[in-house]
Structures are given as structure tokens and as C-alpha cells.
Amino acid sequence: MEARLAASARATVGETFDAAPHIKAMREDGYTIVEDFLDAERLAAFRAGMAPYLGAYRGRNPFEGRTTERVYTMVARGKVFEDITADPRLLAILDAFLRPSYLLSASHAIDIYPGEVAQRLHTDDSFYPIPRRGPRSASA
């Protein structure tokens, strides 16, 4: 039932949101920006949901960044985070790159403070036992 509702929501998003330019930007530039993704109310809810977790955790090692604050598993920390990851605009973009019935398994907030050391180039999928197309970095 939920899958049918999600598919229906993504189908109607095309009436108000054009994913094509974002998909093109992802393919050409490796990122995209969805302007006004969170309205003022959702942004306030996001900030309120984050507040209890901020200031509590910094990276454990130089790779994570000793002056980088991280909040892991956000989707498990409140409905506001669930709603953001299930936004039909986001899913419409992801649908272009991921196989059907994909599972979003990582939701993090990362705040890199001034003076942090840059991470080396890496992939975040090296623990999956699935062949990866394209070159891999030595650290992956």
C-alpha cells in the first residue's frame, strides 16, 4: 500500500516539480540544488528536531573529522526527518539513478567546522557486496 502511495505521489509531483533539470545536473555536475526545498515551517521543524542532538558528537578519528559534528540515523529520530527523505521531489530525482524498490539507508547531518582537515576522496558504498561500475578510490 505504501509503495503504491509513494508511486502516486511521485507521479503527481511532475505537475508542480520538474525533476529533469536536477537529473541532468546530477549527471553532469554530480550534485543539484532544489531551491526552497524546505518551506519556513518545515525548516523550523527540522531545526527543532536537530536541537537535542547538536553539540553532542564530534568525529572519532581524523577521517570522520575531529572538528566535524555528525548526527547519524536522522530518519529514526523523528517524523520530520522521515518526511524529508520521503519527499516526492527527492524521490523523483533518486528514481532516475537507483533501481526500483531501493532503500534509503543513510540519513546524516554533517557540520564541518573551520580548520577541519579535508577527507581523502572515497566512496561510501564499499561495504555493500554489489559490484560497482566505474573506478573506485584506493580507500574504498
Side-chain angles (χ1 to χ4, degrees), residues 2 18-19 56 66 74 88 94 131:
E2 283 186 33
D18 185 5
R66 300 220 186 263
M74 290 174 54
L94 294 177

Side-chain angles (χ1 to χ4, degrees), residues 101-125:
S101 302
Y102 55 86
L103 173 65
L104 299 179
S105 60
S107 57
H108 314 310
I110 302 173
D111 191 1
I112 302 170
Y113 290 97
E116 183 59 85
V117 177
Q119 281 188 341
R120 66 186 178 275
L121 185 62
H122 68 284
T123 60
D124 287 340
D125 64 354

Side-chain angles (χ1 to χ4, degrees), residues 10-23 32-37 87-94:
R10 287 196 290 271
T12 59
V13 79
E15 299 169 11
T16 59
F17 175 77
D18 185 5
H22 297 283
I23 294 166
T32 189
I33 297 172
V34 178
E35 296 287 337
D36 301 319
F37 183 72
D87 187 287
R89 296 167 295 170
L90 174 62
L91 296 176
I93 296 168
L94 294 177

